[in-house]
Amino acid sequence: MSQELATRYPLVLVPGMLGFVRALVYPYWFGIVPALRRGGAQVYPVQVSPLHSSEVRGEQLLIIIEDICRRTGAEKVNLIGHSQGALSARYAAAKRPDRVASVTSVAGPNHGSELADHLERTAPGDSAQGRILKAVLHGLAVVLGWLETGWRRDPLPIDVHASHQSLTRAGVALFNQAYPQGLPEVWGGEGPAEVNGVRYYSWSGTLQPGRTDQGLNRFDGSNYFCRLFSRSFVREKGRCDGMVGRFSSHLGQVIGDDYPLDHLDIVNQSLGAVGKGAEPVRLFTEHAARLKAAGL
C-alpha cells in the first residue's frame, strides 16, 4: 500500500447538518475515505448529532477524539469538518488544542449562512411554516439516525432549533466571540495559519454562472437545489455554493474558495456525479499530502 498520504496523526471527518457516516450503503464522504486509505492515511468518518448546536456536537466530538487517540495511540488528530462540522471541529480545537493538530473547514459557515437567515425570516419557529419545517427536519434526522445505526437505546439527541440558530449569522457571530481561532480580521481575507499549536485551513466552492460554464452532470441533483437556495443570498449574491458564501467560509490558510462545486458536491455527494472540472476527491487527497508535508 502507498504511504504518500500517511499523515502523522489520524484524519477525523466530521459531517455537517443532517450528516451521517453511512446511510445503509450510501457513504456521506462518497469515494473520499477509500481514496485516502489507499494512500496510507488513517481515516475515521464519525457521527455526531445530525441536528444540534455546534457546541453540543463539539462536545460529542471531543469524546470521539479521546476514543480514537486511545485506540490508535496517537497524541492528536487532524479534524476535517464539512459545513457545520467545521464549527464543531473549531469548538473541539479551542477546548482541547493538545488533542488537535489541525482543523480544516470544507465549505464551513464560519461567518454564518445567509440561507439560515432567510429561513429564520420566512419560516420563524412559531409560524405554521416554521413548525412544518421543524417537523420535516426532525423526521429526516430520526430516519438518518436509524439508517446509520439501526434502532438503539441511546440515540443521539436532536434539537432542530439549536441547529438552525447555530448556522445564522447572528448565531455564528456569538460562537466566534467565544472561539475566534483561525478567523480572518478582514472580510474576505485569511486568518492566522496557526493558533495555540493548531493549524487552520479552509476551502470551499461557488456556483458557476450559467449551466454551460458549470459543465453540470444531468444526474447532479444537489446542484439544482443549491441554485434554488442561492437566491436567498444578498451579501454574497453570486458568490456562494448554495448554502454558504465564499468569504463566509474563510478560516486560517485559504486553499481555495471558488472551486466549481456546490455545497454537497464538495464532499462528492450525488454519488460522485459532479460537473466537469470538479474533483472533490482530489482536494482531499491533496490536503492529506499537505498535512503530511507539514508534519501533521
Side-chain angles (χ1 to χ4, degrees):
M1 177 185 294
S2 169
Q3 294 297 303
E4 61 183 357
L5 306 182
T7 55
R8 179 180 179 184
Y9 304 112
L11 305 178
V12 178
L13 307 185
V14 189
M17 178 182 178
L18 291 174
F20 50 89
V21 175
R22 180 182 294 272
L24 292 181
V25 298
Y26 182 71
Y28 185 93
W29 311 87
F30 186 81
I32 293 169
V33 173
L36 291 169
R37 286 177 176 164
R38 283 194 298 271
Q42 293 185 76
V43 189
Y44 296 88
V46 302
Q47 177 68 59
V48 292
S49 285
L51 291 172
H52 220 302
S53 71
S54 299
E55 292 88 344
V56 166
R57 298 170 99 241
E59 284 294 328
Q60 296 167 355
L61 180 58
L62 285 171
I63 295 172
I64 294 170
I65 291 170
E66 284 299 316
D67 181 59
I68 291 173
C69 288
R70 178 185 58 79
R71 288 190 285 127
T72 63
E75 297 178 0
K76 302 180 180 183
V77 298
N78 292 298
L79 298 176
I80 302 178
H82 172 234
S83 194
Q84 191 185 7
L87 301 180
S88 299
R90 287 175 50 197
Y91 174 90
K95 291 292 186 178
R96 291 295 306 271
D98 59 312
R99 281 301 199 193
V100 179
S102 70
V103 169
T104 301
S105 166
V106 178
N110 294 303
H111 296 274
S113 168
E114 291 189 59
L115 174 61
D117 289 349
H118 174 76
L119 291 175
E120 187 173 46
R121 291 192 302 270
T122 58
D126 58 352
S127 69
Q129 300 98 313
R131 288 192 292 270
I132 292 172
L133 180 61
K134 180 178 180 180
V136 169
L137 290 173
H138 189 277
L140 281 173
V142 170
V143 170
L144 286 170
W146 180 80
L147 291 176
E148 169 70 37
T149 62
W151 295 112
R152 51 190 282 179
R153 295 181 180 179
D154 56 340
L156 291 167
I158 296 172
D159 189 325
V160 179
H161 178 73
S163 177
H164 184 196
Q165 292 303 307
S166 286
L167 297 173
T168 63
R169 285 186 291 176
V172 176
L174 290 174
F175 179 89
N176 287 344
Q177 288 178 15
Y179 314 107
Q181 293 86 348
L183 292 173
E185 294 185 3
V186 178
W187 177 250
E190 291 190 306
E194 184 174 331
V195 182
N196 294 334
V198 181
R199 290 277 305 186
Y200 288 86
Y201 304 89
S202 62
W203 76 74
S204 59
T206 58
L207 295 168
Q208 305 299 303
R211 292 179 52 83
T212 301
D213 294 337
Q214 179 81 16
L216 295 181
N217 186 308
R218 72 173 64 183
F219 301 108
D220 182 7
S222 70
N223 201 272
Y224 295 98
F225 286 106
C226 285
R227 286 183 180 276
L228 177 63
F229 296 153
S230 71
R231 297 176 184 176
S232 65
F233 282 69
V234 177
R235 186 179 190 185
E236 295 204 73
K237 182 179 179 63
R239 296 188 303 185
C240 71
D241 65 7
M243 298 186 192
V244 173
R246 176 181 181 180
F247 292 155
S248 181
S249 72
H250 285 196
L251 183 77
Q253 178 184 342
V254 179
I255 296 164
D257 61 6
D258 60 351
Y259 294 109
L261 293 160
D262 67 43
H263 192 72
L264 300 180
D265 287 343
I266 206 161
V267 289
N268 208 35
Q269 293 189 10
S270 296
L271 296 173
V274 298
K276 296 178 181 178
E279 301 180 78
V281 175
R282 179 180 57 81
L283 293 177
F284 281 83
T285 56
E286 286 183 347
H287 190 54
R290 182 180 296 111
L291 293 175
K292 181 180 179 181
L296 304 175

